[in-house]
Amino acid sequence: MTSETHVTKTIVTEFLEDFTQNILDSDVVVVGSGPCGASAAKYCAKKGLKTVMIERNLYAGGGMWQGGYLMPKNTVAEPANRILEECGVNLKDAGEGLYVCDSFEMVSKMLASACDAGVKLLNSTNVDDIILKEDHVEGVVIQWFPAKHMPSFMTCMDPIAIRSKVVIDATGHDSVLVKRLSEQRSGIPVPKGCGSLWVDEAEKQTVELTHEIYPGLIVAGMSATSTYGAPRMGPIFGGMLLAGKKAAELAYDRIKGVKAKGEGIKITRHAPDVIVTE
Ligand code: 48F
């Protein structure tokens, strides 16, 4: 016999235990669970980093749920096909170095492999802000996403905060955290949105532009593209997967002290080593 209150108690105690032990204080918080965020979170966890991925929607996966024009077929170019093969995604060779798969399968298997690696997911959770000390980002401020849609008399409800050594901004086109940082620190670019379509260049630049933009904050994937106004890539996801993997490597180097605090960071309005049209 299972009592109603036992079901409730199990959910409440399990959530609080997980939250306080695995989420409250982590190595890496990845904001956004699209192709870039899911890839970043998976590779962080695979490297042994305590990793939390936060998604404002009820469902994870971001833009992976559909290819272009509401058609559920996703494409990736070499060498990103290997990232999907590693997750067990069935890919069809479409020629010209391009591979195609079912969107649903890509999302499911990417997320499953992130879970298997040990990633904790906080869904229906909006990241409202960062924890910003003198010269370092030290975590994020979170609020239930449904609370953002409550009537105005509820909007004074304060959010809560969780701490991490590194935060990865994988929020896609909105570049939420970079935007917030740019309001408070000089030299941080105000995200301008992506430029017009150019597949090859966009795929390359989204990886190159993924970098630690401020101590403790890594900008990755479409968020990096949008920050610097680099070209959009259209319905192709390889650059996003590779950008996520690169973000995980940068996070690992920072946390393990391979790079000293501040090393390798260029706080500049212009993307490091990339030509960006003004
Ligand atoms: O948009 P999204 O998929 O970004 P990405 O991983 O990949 C971009 C591609 O999907 C696509 C493309 C390539 O073909 O052009 O755009 O860089 O995933 C971003 C995720 O972040 C969530 C959002 O709901 C989405 O799932 N997100 C955005 N802002 C917040 C957030 C926030 N403030 N708090 C929590 N989640």
Side-chain angles (χ1 to χ4, degrees):
M1 289 279 284
T2 305
S3 72
E4 290 75 13
T5 50
H6 183 61
V7 174
T8 305
K9 190 177 165 197
T10 303
I11 293 171
V12 173
T13 51
E14 192 58 29
F15 178 75
L16 288 182
E17 192 185 311
D18 205 23
F19 193 91
T20 47
Q21 289 183 10
N22 301 315
I23 293 173
L24 189 57
D25 229 322
S26 63
D27 290 322
V28 186
V29 161
V30 180
V31 186
S33 65
C36 177
S39 166
K42 173 193 165 166
Y43 286 109
C44 282
K46 272 193 88 169
K47 286 171 178 293
L49 302 176
K50 203 172 164 186
T51 307
V52 180
M53 181 163 70
I54 304 181
E55 171 55 52
R56 66 183 169 189
N57 289 323
L58 183 61
Y59 56 88
M64 279 190 285
W65 281 103
Q66 55 171 5
Y69 205 60
L70 284 181
M71 292 179 285
K73 297 286 178 192
N74 289 354
T75 58
V76 294
E78 282 164 346
N81 56 310
R82 282 190 226 123
I83 292 181
L84 294 183
E85 280 158 10
E86 223 179 76
C87 303
V89 176
N90 292 295
L91 291 167
K92 186 174 159 191
D93 189 339
E96 293 185 20
L98 193 69
Y99 294 82
V100 62
C101 65
D102 287 332
S103 307
F104 177 71
E105 186 182 354
M106 176 169 162
V107 183
S108 315
K109 291 184 173 169
M110 281 287 295
L111 294 177
S113 77
C115 290
D116 289 347
V119 174
K120 290 288 168 184
L121 173 69
L122 260 190
N123 61 339
S124 303
T125 300
N126 195 75
V127 173
D128 280 0
D129 206 344
I130 42 180
I131 302 176
L132 181 60
K133 303 277 172 83
E134 291 88 13
D135 66 345
H136 205 85
V137 172
E138 284 191 11
V140 293
V141 176
I142 58 173
Q143 178 63 283
W144 273 327
F145 191 50
K148 298 195 79 65
H149 299 281
M150 282 178 172
S152 55
F153 66 85
M154 289 291 292
T155 53
C156 57
M157 181 167 57
D158 268 323
I160 58 172
I162 59 176
R163 200 163 63 159
S164 66
K165 293 173 185 150
V166 168
V167 175
I168 297 177
D169 181 343
T171 59
H173 292 267
D174 296 341
S175 310
V176 175
L177 307 186
V178 175
K179 198 176 202 175
R180 189 74 187 106
L181 185 66
S182 71
E183 292 161 1
Q184 301 169 81
R185 292 290 184 270
S186 58
I188 299 295
V190 179
K192 41 175 113 173
C194 59
S196 294
L197 187 71
W198 184 1
V199 174
D200 287 343
E201 191 59 21
E203 284 273 275
K204 185 163 70 80
Q205 285 200 22
T206 198
V207 181
E208 286 171 356
L209 291 170
T210 292
H211 72 296
E212 191 171 17
I213 194 166
Y214 195 75
L217 181 66
I218 292 169
V219 60
M222 182 51 84
S223 180
T225 301
S226 281
T227 294
Y228 294 103
R232 67 192 304 159
M233 69 285 309
I236 182 166
F237 292 92
M240 295 300 151
L241 302 176
L242 295 167
K245 194 171 186 186
K246 178 179 175 186
E249 280 153 15
L250 294 171
Y252 181 85
D253 286 356
R254 175 66 60 217
I255 290 166
K256 296 297 171 190
V258 176
K259 281 190 182 163
K261 195 172 165 185
E263 187 191 333
I265 301 177
K266 280 189 207 162
I267 299 174
T268 164
R269 283 187 189 282
H270 301 282
D273 307 325
V274 175
I275 301 162
V276 176
T277 314
E278 282 295 312

